């Protein structure tokens, strides 16, 4: 994405504009990681400006189901009971690997409480809507992940599967 004529910062700005335009109707995101995203995009742009090779996902925006630890953020797992927990002290392994691959984390995504459910109708954080029909839910415990990609807000998300919800 950032290897064409657009910088990682430009791609990030387009991504954030799409999130701003669509998420109010869809309710995919539980939090946005704007400062981190800006740091990660700037690092990719510095590599590019220096003529160095970019990592495989250099500048590609992504988001994660709020079940994966993101350093400095409370991992909600869709449950209010977790709001008082300490923030994660480190990224989950997959989040750290995405970062090393040059991907730019833009936020965490709504999910079924404790990843156990099939509709993404979270009683605490609201229903995630299907981007193609707002009268329908996104479905699955990773509905925030699916809807964010389906709506074109991000090209990649991370989800999980407990009992066939994907």
């Amino acid at each position: 994405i950032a290897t064409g004529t657009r910088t990682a910062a430009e791609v990030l700005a387009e991504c954030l504009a799409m999130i701003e335009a669509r998420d109010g109707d869809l309710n995919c995101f539980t939090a946005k990681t704007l400062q981190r995203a800006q740091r990660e995009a700037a690092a990719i742009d510095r590599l590019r400006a220096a003529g160095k090779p970019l990592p495989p996902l250099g500048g590609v925006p992504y988001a994660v189901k709020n079940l994966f630890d993101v350093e400095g953020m409370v991992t909600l797992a869709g449950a209010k009971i977790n709001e008082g927990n300490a923030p994660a002290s480190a990224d989950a392994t997959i989040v750290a690997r995405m970062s090393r691959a040059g991907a730019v984390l833009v936020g965490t995504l709504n999910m079924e409480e404790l990843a156990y459910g099939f509709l993404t109708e979270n009683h605490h954080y609201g229903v995630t809507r299907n981007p193609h029909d707002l009268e329908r839910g996104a479905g699955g415990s990773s509905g925030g992940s699916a809807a964010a990609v389906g709506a074109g807000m991000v090209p990649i998300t991370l989800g999980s599967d407990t009992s066939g919800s994907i």
Side-chain angles (χ1 to χ4, degrees):
I1 283 184
T3 59
T5 59
R6 298 179 302 156
T7 66
E10 291 168 335
V11 171
L12 175 60
E14 290 174 18
C15 172
L16 296 175
M18 182 64 81
I19 292 168
E20 181 69 26
R22 302 285 323 262
D23 196 47
D25 291 332
L26 300 175
N27 193 37
C28 298
F29 283 81
T30 56
K32 294 169 190 87
T33 55
L34 301 178
Q35 290 180 336
R36 177 178 175 153
Q38 290 166 340
R39 277 193 319 271
E40 290 175 342
I44 294 299
D45 286 341
R46 282 192 301 275
L47 286 175
R48 183 177 179 189
K52 296 188 178 183
L54 298 181
L57 295 176
V60 176
Y62 79 107
V64 300
K65 182 177 185 176
N66 201 330
L67 184 65
F68 297 98
D69 284 348
V70 173
E71 183 178 7
M73 298 182 74
V74 174
T75 306
L76 297 172
K80 281 255 190 219
I81 195 168
N82 292 332
E83 286 181 346
N85 290 353
S89 60
D91 287 338
T93 300
I94 187 63
V95 176
R97 288 180 179 174
M98 291 291 285
S99 184
R100 282 195 303 274
V104 175
L105 181 63
V106 297
T108 58
L109 299 161
N110 200 11
M111 58 179 283
E112 282 280 358
E113 187 170 7
L114 303 176
Y116 196 75
F118 306 100
L119 303 173
T120 316
E121 292 186 3
N122 188 296
H123 299 291
H124 309 295
Y125 303 105
V127 175
T128 296
R129 297 283 169 207
N130 183 315
H132 304 291
D133 182 349
L134 297 179
E135 297 300 314
R136 298 174 188 254
S141 68
S142 298
S145 298
V149 170
M153 290 190 271
V154 287
I156 300 172
T157 59
L158 301 180
S160 68
D161 193 333
T162 303
S163 59
S165 64
I166 290 179

